[in-house]
Amino acid sequence: MSVGPQIEIANLELQYGENHILSNINHSFEAGKCHVVMGPNGGGKTSLLRSILGLTPFKGQIDILWNDATNNGKPGSVGYVPQKAMFEQSLPLTVMDFILLNLTRSPLFWRKRQQDKAFALTQLERVGMANRADRRMGQLSGGEQQRVLFAQALLDNPDLLVLDEPTTGMDEQGVRYLESLIHEFVAQGKTVLAVHHDVTAVRRLDAQVHVVNRILVDSGHHSDVLIPEKIERLFNHYSHAPIAAKQHEVA
C-alpha cells in the first residue's frame, strides 16, 4: 500500500506579469511512484514544483491526496530540496549545526540532546556526509551542500519528497547516494517528485516522466517517453506556434 500521496492538478495556470509560465495543466501524479519532471530551460518545471508546494500563487486547483489508512486521516510530511542554496564562507554554521537547527527548531545555543546529535549523524551518513559534520556549510562544495540539504529533507521521514535538480554540482558518489535513497523511498510506497535533466539518470531511477514546456507535452514511463525519436522534439524551446504533441492525462 502506498503511504505517499497522489497529486491531482486541474486547470493550473501560472504567470508573472504578462509572462505565461504554465497553461492549462491537467494531470495526476500517481501515489508511491518516482515522478520526474523534464523539459527545456524556462519551460516551467520549477514553477510546477513550487505551485504544488504552495510557494507561488497560481490559478486552478492542486490537491495532495494523502492515504487516510496509513496517515490516520492526517496529512503526511513533505521533504523539499531546492535547486541550490548559498552559504557565506564566513558564517560559523557547521553541517551538524544546520541539521540540528532544522531538526529541533530551537536556537543553536540551547543544549542539544545526544540523541538529537545521533539522529542527525545518521541522516548525514545516509548521504555520505557524516565525515563532514564539523565543516562549515560555506566551506563545502556546491554538490556537498546539496547532499546536506538532502539529509535535512530526510529529518521528518517524509512521505512526499520533492527535489528540484537535486544532483546539481554533485560528484558521482553523491549521485549514487541520492539515487539509492530515491529507490528506497519508492520501495516503501512513498511518492517522489523531482525536476531532473539527465536522461541516463532518469532511466536508472525507473521513473515516470512528465515533460513540461509551459503545457504538459508528454507523460508516461521513461521507456515510452525518453526514446530517440521523441527526445529532440520534447526538449525544444517553447514557441507560440501550436505544439504538435497531445497533452496527456494520466489516471
Side-chain angles (χ1 to χ4, degrees):
M1 179 181 291
S2 298
V3 297
Q6 179 169 319
I7 302 170
E8 296 282 353
I9 300 176
N11 304 317
L12 175 63
E13 303 274 347
L14 176 63
Q15 66 183 87
Y16 299 128
E18 298 299 314
N19 188 15
H20 287 264
I21 307 299
L22 296 168
S23 298
N24 193 32
I25 304 287
N26 292 278
H27 199 50
S28 176
F29 294 97
E30 185 180 352
K33 300 278 188 180
C34 176
H35 299 279
V36 172
V37 179
M38 305 187 78
N41 291 336
K45 304 183 297 297
T46 293
S47 294
L48 177 60
L49 259 59
R50 289 179 59 83
S51 297
I52 291 170
L53 291 168
L55 298 176
T56 192
F58 60 86
K59 294 180 180 179
Q61 182 76 24
I62 298 177
D63 293 310
I64 299 178
L65 306 175
W66 300 96
N67 189 320
D68 290 341
T70 55
N71 292 295
N72 298 317
K74 299 178 181 178
S77 60
V78 179
Y80 173 50
V81 180
Q83 191 170 28
K84 60 182 177 180
M86 300 296 292
F87 296 90
E88 286 289 336
Q89 287 192 348
S90 60
L91 186 67
L93 181 74
T94 68
V95 170
M96 178 60 76
D97 289 338
F98 177 76
I99 296 296
L100 287 174
L101 186 61
N102 283 278
L103 173 62
T104 63
R105 312 305 201 265
S106 59
L108 286 175
F109 57 79
W110 286 17
R111 181 175 295 177
K112 305 299 181 183
R113 296 177 300 175
Q114 282 304 118
Q115 66 187 62
D116 288 339
K117 291 184 177 180
F119 179 73
L121 201 60
T122 297
Q123 306 315 307
L124 288 170
E125 285 173 353
R126 296 176 75 184
V127 298
M129 290 297 292
N131 63 344
R132 300 283 199 277
D134 294 329
R135 292 278 187 92
R136 288 186 179 185
M137 287 294 294
Q139 294 175 332
L140 301 179
S141 69
E144 288 174 330
Q145 289 180 359
Q146 284 298 106
R147 287 159 75 171
V148 175
L149 290 174
F150 197 91
Q152 176 266 325
L154 301 177
L155 293 175
D156 291 329
N157 191 25
D159 303 305
L160 170 61
L161 186 60
V162 181
L163 313 169
D164 191 359
E165 296 279 11
T167 60
T168 300
M170 273 192 192
D171 59 13
E172 186 178 343
Q173 184 185 47
V175 171
R176 286 200 300 269
Y177 275 112
L178 182 141
E179 290 180 0
S180 175
L181 284 166
I182 289 176
H183 283 296
E184 178 184 320
F185 268 68
V186 175
Q188 295 169 355
K190 299 182 178 187
T191 304
V192 178
L193 179 60
V195 167
H196 217 313
H197 66 275
D198 188 327
V199 169
T200 302
V202 171
R203 288 176 176 140
R204 288 197 302 267
L205 292 172
D206 194 29
Q208 302 293 314
V209 174
H210 315 272
V211 181
V212 173
N213 193 1
R214 302 203 184 185
I215 66 170
L216 183 65
V217 178
D218 202 354
S219 180
H221 190 258
H222 70 86
S223 60
D224 297 319
V225 176
L226 299 180
I227 56 178
E229 54 265 36
K230 278 188 174 184
I231 285 177
E232 184 177 356
R233 172 176 57 81
L234 291 176
F235 292 91
N236 281 340
H237 283 280
Y238 178 85
S239 71
H240 291 288
I243 292 178
K246 179 182 178 181
Q247 181 164 322
H248 289 250
E249 291 190 27
V250 178

